[in-house]
Amino acid sequence: MTWLEQLRNSRFPILAISVLLVLLVAGLLISVASERAIREQMAREAGAQADLLASAVSGALAFGDRAAAQDYVDAVQVNPNVLAAAVYDERNRLVASFARPGQDIPAVARPRDHATTLFRDGRLIVVRPVEQGGQRLGTARLRLMDDPPMQRFMRYASLILVLALGALAVGILAVAQTALMRANRELADQAQALRDQIRDREKAEEALRQSQKMEAIGRLTGGIAHDFNNLLMVASSGIELLERTTDPERRRKLSEGVRQAVARGAALTSQLLAFSRQAPMKSAVLDLRGQIEGLRFMLERSLREDIALVIDIPGDLWPVEADAGELELALLNLAINARDAMPEGGTFTLSARNLAGSAETPDAVRLEITDTGVGIPEATLSRVFEPFFTTKEVGRGTGLGLSQVYGFARSSGGSVEVRSQPGAGTTFAITLPRTRKAPPPAPAPSAGASDRESGGAAVRRVLLVEDDDGVADSVGQMLERLGLDHVRAETAPAALALFEADPAFDLVVSDMVMPGGMDGLTLARTLHDRAPTLPILLTTGYSAAAAAAGSEFPLLLKPYRLEDLDQALRTVAAGRGA
Amino acid sequence: MRTPERPFLVAAIVLGVLAGPSAGPAGAGDDLEYGVKAVYLVRFAAFVEWPAAARRGADAPVGLCVIGQDPFGPRLDAAARGQRAHGRPLVVRRLAGPAPLDACDIVYVGRGAEPMLREAGDPSGRLIVTDAAASSRRGMIHFVVAEGRVRFHIDLRAASGAGLTISSRLLNLALSVQRR
């Protein structure tokens, strides 16, 4: 069976083999049928000739006229296929005969009572009885030449030729088909390999972008730590002073200061988290003015106090199409570079203007980032966008910052150029093409006080799932302040058990990342399966967890204030309970 | 069982015997000559066709009658034994005295039988075979010995007159054929 397997695996089209077989069988059948017909015809003709001889020779045989018998026998010679002819009497003794050279005639023949026609040893032998008026007088016998093999071969040569041509055509077609199939397969393999490479490359690029972000954050760390220290200073001193004073007015001012410090810290971390989140590159229509204003806080953190940040962006700036995260990262990279270029302090200017296009060049927006630093030497100016090219000492930079800026500009369909005078500062100019698409609608304003009462379901009892005792305690107090009863569970399984025992909860507030083998998201899904109308609010301080929750459940980011919690609870209750 | 006839052997011997000076009517030569003639008589039955009216019945045998002196003896019986012609068996009859020839299809006229033949009258439906050795009168077939071989003349006109049909193959072998 192995040859069969090989045949199957050879990919030689099975159809071609079938056609060849059919051709072969058909050819054989035709040959056999034709051969048989020709032999029958031969036998018929020989039989007729023998009949003629037997009929003619009867008188001569009956009355012993040898000469007459010989005349009849000799007449048969005109047929060149007759090798020998003989007439035997009733006792099978030879009466008259002729034989071509090499043929022998037995003097006594083998008795044969009936007409006989047989092919033997390439000879056709025909025996016919000689009878007259019912009297048996003897036999007439003919020996004829059967077709020699060469003659037979010639007869079928044309058929063989046609068959061979057919086989050749089928074979060529099959080979061509096989080659085509193989080429197709190779092409498909190559395309798949190419797709794999592209995917790997995209992954690598994605990883590179993320690492570039992380690198920028690392370089921001100093400034952020500085900020946090300031905030903590405000908070700790405020609390300390709160404990030492009883003056209500003073206490109010102190607690207001602490609250503001905490709010700033929260804003800072939320911006960091948003910045570092892993998101696929996605082009969107951007309003540069809004984007850069939103980044002002981060930019300030990345610069030092001795560097002034000037943002000069007109309100009628055309929209562009780019990835918002990449834009932020590019500006941050440029700000950090500027900071390092201005050890003595200076001014960091972000300006933008519209560039009206012409017939050849389309409309564009030019974004200029200028510092008043030491400038870039002529020799290195042409290399600043090369990946891993850095003039900074080891540990201070990876050389990926400006290459990210370059990559951002190119992937957004724009360009970036740099001008610098040593000692007179540097200007990076990013040109982005104008987009005709409409900018996305501004995010809807947060629900006002008038919406708070729109929730249909009244919330009385809350299941609080939180592993951290401190957080649980403070959130518990917040809930009490909002006039809600609450039951706390330390883990998700414990919360499930509580809910099983007593499902009379109006709402669930759960942390997302918890020990105990089940996270908040899984708990929320499980509870949602059991009670689809039960409102669930997830809280977290982890950006990764926040991304995981997605839009599946409402999310409240830590840290949050009482007001935030109140609003979130009302929104959740209204949305789910309605 | 067929009779072991040897016409050619016989003919060969006859040739040699008749060529010799001692040829006489009643020697060993006669013996062979009449053996051949007996076989010929039997063969004639196969080469001659009788009119349907002459047939006495579908299965009635072909009567092979010897009138006058019988020169064959048992040789004729041996030649005819087991033979058939046109699907009918052959029967040898010897008519020594005057008798009707009703059951005779072939009549061999022996020595001294001419008066009997004349008495029989109408030869219709009968093959009359005469022998130069017995008389000079010629019947439809007349045996002679020529060049040492037994041969015969055929009187086709007489045979036709009697309603008989003689095969051309037999005519081809005759020394002479009298037509019309």
Side-chain angles (χ1 to χ4, degrees):
Chain A
M1 294 308 275
T2 51
W3 65 271
L4 201 63
E5 299 281 323
Q6 279 174 356
L7 193 66
R8 199 173 292 140
N9 295 336
S10 74
R11 296 174 194 274
F12 190 78
I14 212 87
L15 184 67
I17 293 173
S18 313
V19 169
L20 278 176
L21 277 176
V22 167
L23 270 177
L24 202 65
V25 169
L28 274 175
L29 288 178
I30 290 171
S31 304
V32 166
S34 161
E35 185 69 23
R36 185 171 299 166
I38 285 171
R39 285 193 147 203
E40 277 173 5
Q41 171 76 8
M42 247 180 98
R44 235 184 348 262
E45 285 172 7
Q49 200 158 19
D51 282 338
L52 213 57
L53 177 63
S55 165
V57 86
S58 63
L61 209 51
F63 300 101
D65 194 331
R66 247 169 226 274
Q70 190 63 50
D71 285 345
Y72 291 122
V73 169
D74 287 345
V76 179
Q77 286 185 64
V78 297
N79 185 348
N81 285 334
V82 175
L83 295 172
V87 175
Y88 290 85
D89 68 18
E90 204 198 356
R91 315 261 307 156
N92 293 312
R93 286 166 310 197
L94 189 63
V95 173
S97 70
F98 90 85
R100 298 196 194 275
Q103 300 292 323
D104 61 318
I105 304 285
V108 177
R110 180 182 304 175
R112 288 189 193 278
D113 288 338
H114 302 286
T116 306
T117 304
L118 59 92
F119 285 91
R120 195 168 60 195
D121 304 332
R123 303 272 181 267
L124 170 60
I125 292 165
V126 183
V127 179
R128 290 289 183 272
V130 180
E131 287 175 345
Q132 180 70 42
Q135 284 188 20
R136 177 71 185 263
L137 303 171
T139 52
R141 303 184 181 216
L142 289 182
R143 191 184 303 158
L144 289 99
M145 189 164 38
D146 198 0
D147 279 343
M150 190 61 198
Q151 197 172 331
R152 225 177 286 168
F153 173 78
M154 289 304 287
R155 194 156 51 214
Y156 299 115
S158 58
L159 186 62
I160 291 169
L161 198 67
V162 168
L163 266 178
L165 277 177
L168 191 69
V170 169
I172 287 173
L173 280 178
V175 167
Q177 167 83 354
T178 310
L180 205 61
M181 276 166 64
R182 192 181 306 126
N184 271 341
R185 223 165 27 242
E186 280 170 8
L187 217 56
D189 289 349
Q190 284 172 3
Q192 184 57 44
L194 212 58
R195 277 197 293 276
D196 290 348
Q197 279 181 12
I198 289 171
R199 204 179 51 241
D200 291 348
R201 206 189 157 106
E202 280 171 352
K203 270 191 200 162
E205 281 174 0
E206 193 64 35
L208 178 65
R209 285 196 308 119
Q210 187 62 20
S211 68
Q212 282 171 340
K213 277 188 202 170
M214 290 306 150
E215 142 125 353
I217 288 174
R219 292 162 77 186
L220 280 170
T221 307
I224 290 164
H226 176 78
D227 271 330
F228 266 102
N229 280 337
N230 283 347
L231 298 177
L232 291 174
M233 180 66 212
V234 172
S236 69
S237 62
I239 290 165
E240 199 176 316
L241 290 172
L242 267 175
E243 287 167 353
R244 294 188 184 179
T245 181
T246 51
D247 177 15
E249 179 60 16
R250 181 150 178 75
R251 284 181 69 99
R252 195 188 60 75
K253 277 186 176 171
L254 281 171
S255 57
E256 180 60 29
V258 171
R259 186 155 40 242
Q260 275 180 5
V262 171
R264 281 180 64 196
L268 190 58
T269 51
S270 75
Q271 239 178 338
L272 273 175
L273 288 171
F275 179 72
S276 67
R277 76 182 187 280
Q278 200 153 8
M281 185 144 154
K282 191 175 117 194
S283 275
V285 177
L286 297 182
D287 164 28
L288 283 179
R289 183 184 161 97
Q291 285 289 326
I292 291 171
E293 278 300 336
L295 198 61
R296 179 190 283 273
F297 188 77
M298 285 281 278
L299 290 171
E300 280 170 352
R301 302 280 90 64
S302 64
L303 299 166
R304 286 189 311 273
E305 288 92 339
D306 58 352
I307 298 173
L309 172 64
V310 176
I311 296 181
D312 172 23
I313 297 178
D316 61 348
L317 198 66
W318 292 329
V320 295
E321 201 167 353
D323 180 81
E326 289 291 301
L327 171 68
E328 289 176 8
L329 183 56
L331 295 178
L332 222 48
N333 275 322
L334 289 170
I336 293 163
N337 275 355
R339 180 192 71 192
D340 294 344
M342 295 185 286
E344 310 293 328
T347 308
F348 179 74
T349 309
L350 261 169
S351 64
R353 61 194 161 89
N354 291 332
L355 284 183
S358 63
E360 290 85 33
T361 55
D363 289 349
V365 171
R366 190 176 182 88
L367 189 57
E368 290 198 339
I369 301 97
T370 308
D371 67 55
T372 55
V374 295
I376 302 171
E378 183 87 33
T380 52
L381 198 59
S382 60
R383 301 186 60 196
V384 291
F385 295 118
E386 287 179 20
F388 304 109
F389 176 80
T390 182
T391 57
K392 294 170 187 172
E393 59 198 73
V394 175
R396 291 295 301 276
T398 58
L400 287 173
L402 287 180
S403 76
Q404 187 273 329
V405 174
Y406 180 80
F408 158 71
R410 295 306 301 251
S411 66
S412 307
S415 62
V416 61
E417 53 198 70
V418 57
R419 292 191 309 272
S420 185
Q421 287 283 327
T426 306
T427 298
F428 286 91
I430 299 174
T431 308
L432 299 173
R434 174 189 187 180
T435 182
R436 296 285 171 185
K437 294 180 189 166
S446 57
S450 57
D451 298 330
R452 294 198 184 175
E453 302 306 327
S454 64
V459 175
R460 294 258 178 271
R461 194 156 173 262
V462 173
L463 174 58
L464 174 63
V465 191
E466 174 63 64
D467 59 312
D468 187 290
D469 287 340
V471 175
D473 195 37
S474 64
V475 176
Q477 288 187 35
M478 283 178 168
L479 289 172
E480 274 172 28
R481 281 296 299 273
L482 292 171
L484 302 173
D485 292 338
H486 78 275
V487 179
R488 182 203 166 193
E490 282 187 33
T491 62
L496 272 182
L498 266 173
F499 186 80
E500 293 285 323
D502 173 19
F505 290 102
D506 302 313
L507 197 144
V508 177
V509 176
S510 173
D511 191 19
M512 281 194 74
V513 182
M514 290 179 293
M518 186 191 279
D519 63 10
L521 186 59
T522 313
L523 172 66
R525 285 174 182 155
T526 312
L527 286 174
H528 181 65
D529 286 346
R530 302 203 179 160
T533 58
L534 180 67
I536 298 169
L537 176 65
L538 294 176
T539 69
T540 188
Y542 284 99
S543 63
S551 55
E552 208 174 335
F553 294 96
L555 190 68
L556 183 60
L557 283 175
K558 288 178 190 175
Y560 48 82
R561 292 179 305 153
L562 180 62
E563 200 177 313
D564 300 329
L565 179 63
D566 184 26
Q567 163 130 23
L569 287 177
R570 283 171 189 276
T571 307
V572 168
R576 291 283 184 124
Chain B
M1 287 298 288
R2 288 202 178 96
T3 359
E5 298 150 328
R6 305 175 175 179
F8 302 104
L9 185 62
V10 169
I13 296 167
V14 164
L15 180 75
V17 166
L18 294 186
S22 63
D30 280 355
D31 202 28
L32 289 169
E33 182 190 330
Y34 284 97
V36 172
K37 283 177 181 169
V39 171
Y40 279 20
L41 277 177
V42 172
R43 294 287 191 227
F44 288 149
F47 287 82
V48 173
E49 286 183 32
W50 282 265
R55 216 166 280 165
R56 295 175 295 278
D59 296 329
V62 176
L64 178 47
C65 304
V66 179
I67 57 174
Q69 189 190 331
D70 174 19
F72 302 107
R75 284 188 290 269
L76 186 59
D77 301 275
R81 190 175 303 138
Q83 290 287 5
R84 301 171 78 85
H86 308 293
R88 298 154 66 189
L90 287 181
V91 172
V92 177
R93 292 196 172 92
R94 291 185 176 80
L95 306 175
L101 299 177
D102 292 346
C104 296
D105 296 289
I106 299 173
V107 178
Y108 176 81
V109 183
R111 216 182 281 265
E114 280 182 48
M116 275 180 68
L117 193 59
R118 262 195 304 274
E119 278 171 30
D122 182 19
S124 181
R126 286 181 198 99
L127 180 70
I128 308 300
V129 181
T130 54
D131 192 340
S135 77
S136 59
R137 186 179 185 266
R138 287 192 178 192
M140 295 165 194
I141 295 180
H142 184 65
F143 280 127
V144 294
V145 173
E147 294 171 6
R149 289 191 57 198
V150 174
R151 305 293 297 275
F152 46 84
H153 298 273
I154 294 177
D155 185 345
L156 187 57
R157 195 183 46 176
S160 298
L164 304 182
T165 310
I166 298 178
S167 166
S168 62
R169 296 186 183 103
L170 185 60
L171 296 177
N172 287 342
L173 296 171
L175 275 177
S176 73
V177 177
Q178 177 128 25
R179 301 171 194 268
R180 319 249 149 237

